[in-house]
Amino acid sequence: EIRFCDWSSDVCSSDLAALYGWRAGFFVVILPGLACALLVARFVHERQHNAASIASRASGHSRVREALRYRNVWLCAALCCLFVIYLNLGFTFLPLFYINVRRYSSEQMSFLMGLLGFSAVLYALVLPMVANRVGRKPVMIVASLLSLMCPLAALYFDGSPALFGLLLFVGWALSGTASLFTGTIPAETVPARSEEHTSELQSQNRI
């Protein structure tokens, strides 16, 4: 669902910016955030703190320390940071690069960014299934190597538009590995009693 929202937001925001200007596009992007804030304020209730919850929180800190003893947890935390940098740089600067450097039209830029969103949706479905068959490590290595293709193609490829789009599509493979290093690998590494706190740690690193 999140990947589908990423794809649709890429297409919609780029089209709105092309039709009404980037300033109008930025104002429209605010609306989902406001809707989320209102929904949280209306429906999410704070948990009452009592002696049991305080004791549970104290034990939770020790479980986080226990999870941090595993090398895979540290590696996945580092991957979370690098993943966010890669994605944010791509979504921030690729549209500007396409228009200002490669001289594409706004419609062409919108299509290329939407292509990345669709690639993220597909990879998010396919890569975890492949990882279940061949293992987590090979999938992470291959996806990381493929992810070099996207920025290199944007910088240096001068061939046909169809092949250029294909290179971008294939080269956005890293976007489909998020569920592996934020959930699957840490959960399979640490004892079951620490899984909840490990997942929380990965989420904080992504933020």
Side-chain angles (χ1 to χ4, degrees):
E1 293 176 356
I2 293 175
R3 291 301 177 191
F4 177 77
C5 292
D6 285 343
W7 170 50
S8 58
S9 64
D10 292 339
V11 177
C12 294
S13 59
S14 299
D15 287 342
L16 286 171
L19 290 173
Y20 303 108
W22 283 103
R23 179 172 296 182
F26 281 123
F27 279 113
V28 171
V29 169
I30 295 174
L31 297 178
L34 290 175
C36 290
L38 292 174
L39 289 172
V40 169
R42 174 66 180 85
F43 296 107
V44 176
H45 302 287
E46 289 285 350
R47 184 175 59 181
Q48 296 297 324
H49 297 290
N50 50 36
S53 65
I54 294 174
S56 176
R57 184 183 303 176
S59 67
H61 291 315
S62 65
R63 290 177 182 176
V64 170
R65 287 194 295 270
E66 179 184 354
L68 290 175
R69 294 204 312 253
Y70 295 91
R71 185 185 64 173
N72 276 1
V73 174
W74 284 100
L75 290 175
C76 289
L79 281 173
C80 287
C81 298
L82 298 174
F83 176 81
V84 171
I85 294 171
Y86 180 86
L87 240 60
N88 286 345
L89 287 176
F91 283 128
T92 301
F93 292 108
L94 279 176
L96 297 175
F97 184 81
Y98 290 150
I99 291 177
N100 297 331
V101 178
R102 304 207 63 152
R103 301 300 179 184
Y104 290 150
S105 66
S106 297
E107 291 76 14
Q108 290 173 316
M109 179 274 295
S110 176
F111 173 78
L112 291 174
M113 296 306 297
L115 195 64
L116 295 186
F118 182 68
S119 172
V121 174
L122 186 62
Y123 275 125
L125 294 173
V126 172
L127 291 186
M129 291 190 293
V130 176
N132 287 336
R133 291 181 174 273
V134 304
R136 320 303 184 198
K137 188 174 180 178
V139 170
M140 290 297 304
I141 292 174
V142 172
S144 299
L145 291 176
L146 285 176
S147 68
L148 298 173
M149 193 182 304
C150 182
L152 290 177
L155 286 171
Y156 301 115
F157 184 77
D158 290 324
S160 68
L163 184 55
F164 179 58
L166 179 62
L167 291 175
L168 295 178
F169 184 90
V170 175
W172 203 241
L174 191 65
S175 62
T177 62
S179 63
L180 296 178
F181 60 78
T182 61
T184 305
I185 296 175
E188 292 176 345
T189 300
V190 302
R193 62 180 180 275
S194 303
E195 286 183 11
E196 177 184 351
H197 302 285
T198 306
S199 298
E200 180 181 352
L201 179 66
Q202 305 302 324
S203 299
Q204 291 173 351
N205 275 279
R206 290 187 70 184
I207 295 172

